[in-house]
Amino acid sequence: MDGRDKSLETRQRVLEAAGEVFANRGFREATIREICEKAQANVAAVNYHFGDKEGLYAAVFDYARACAVAQFNELVSPTVPPEERLQAFVRAVLLRFFDEGRPAWLGKLVAREMIEPTKALDSLVNGQIRPNSERLRALVRELIGREIDEQELWRCTFSIAAQWLFYFHCGQVVKRLNPNQRFDAEELDRLAGHITKFSVAALKGWKS
């Protein structure tokens, strides 16, 4: 491995480590030292590749956006029924919140940024959240089967998103109320199916 390859490998390790640390601690509490220790990299690597902590945070979101695009591009074909496409969409989001490793920190990073916004929020919304929201809005419109008021369409879209956000933000309460609740791969499939079934029933019977 030559010097350039080693440099790119170091940059990748720092990005992965930073994603996890920022997701767990937030931008303000995370430290460059902790990130570099986790990445097994020298602190100087951050200065070399990203300039400073803010530059690293921005790069992590660019990286997260690229990973998210790849993930959502793997969803089912647009020729299958909208119910199947919605379930695939919901499952992809749930995996980003609850799966182990990279998918989980991607979702946690986005969720934390929404709660504790930084300068990165506008870029996150425009580059990642808005495109996915438009995809979900199109599915909602297709499932309703007719044109509805734009604000009503937004409310229906947000009502679907609120279901997975509830399980993420209130997960510890959910487990206490329902001790059998799990968030492993098998249960996430069931949960995606439930959210889809519940939402489709509401949308297909929607009357404005």
Side-chain angles (χ1 to χ4, degrees):
M1 184 181 291
D2 61 27
R4 183 175 181 276
D5 288 337
K6 288 182 179 179
S7 178
L8 290 174
E9 182 191 26
T10 299
R11 185 180 190 277
Q12 181 72 13
R13 289 204 316 271
V14 172
L15 279 174
E16 290 281 351
E20 289 190 49
V21 174
F22 283 135
N24 290 328
R25 296 191 178 277
F27 174 75
R28 295 169 183 84
E29 296 297 323
T31 66
I32 294 299
R33 183 173 299 280
E34 180 182 4
I35 290 168
C36 289
E37 286 177 358
K38 188 174 185 64
Q40 297 183 324
N42 193 292
V43 172
V46 171
N47 296 329
Y48 176 75
H49 289 288
F50 309 103
D52 55 17
K53 182 179 174 182
E54 193 169 290
L56 173 58
Y57 192 64
V60 165
F61 271 102
D62 288 339
Y63 178 56
R65 185 180 308 122
C67 292
V69 168
Q71 182 185 33
F72 280 98
N73 282 343
E74 293 174 359
L75 296 180
V76 294
S77 165
T79 59
V80 303
E83 293 88 344
E84 291 183 35
R85 279 179 277 141
L86 177 60
Q87 184 161 338
F89 185 99
V90 173
R91 183 178 182 277
V93 174
L94 288 172
L95 284 173
R96 291 185 67 206
F97 283 132
F98 293 106
D99 202 3
E100 298 296 323
R102 183 193 298 165
W105 72 247
L106 288 172
K108 290 175 184 174
L109 184 68
V110 171
R112 184 175 285 276
E113 178 63 24
M114 289 190 287
I115 296 171
E116 302 170 1
T118 69
K119 294 178 182 178
L121 183 60
D122 287 338
S123 176
L124 172 66
V125 169
N126 293 323
Q128 183 174 333
I129 295 177
R130 190 181 304 281
N132 285 333
S133 295
E134 291 300 330
R135 185 179 300 199
L136 182 57
R137 265 166 45 95
L139 276 170
V140 170
R141 183 184 283 111
E142 189 174 354
L143 285 164
I144 290 176
R146 57 182 174 77
E147 286 299 317
I148 64 171
D149 176 79
E150 282 298 303
Q151 289 305 307
E152 194 168 20
L153 181 60
W154 273 120
R155 286 190 289 271
C156 290
T157 303
F158 291 150
S159 291
I160 296 176
Q163 295 177 76
W164 64 65
L165 289 172
F166 168 78
Y167 280 97
F168 177 70
H169 289 294
C170 302
Q172 294 304 315
V173 173
V174 170
K175 287 180 180 179
R176 284 164 173 77
L177 292 173
N178 176 17
N180 294 322
Q181 177 69 54
R182 307 187 318 276
F183 294 106
D184 55 30
E186 185 178 359
E187 184 58 28
L188 290 181
D189 283 340
R190 291 196 187 98
L191 187 54
H194 168 78
I195 291 174
T196 302
K197 183 178 180 180
F198 190 88
S199 301
V200 168
L203 294 174
K204 288 198 168 181
W206 192 259
K207 290 182 174 61
S208 56

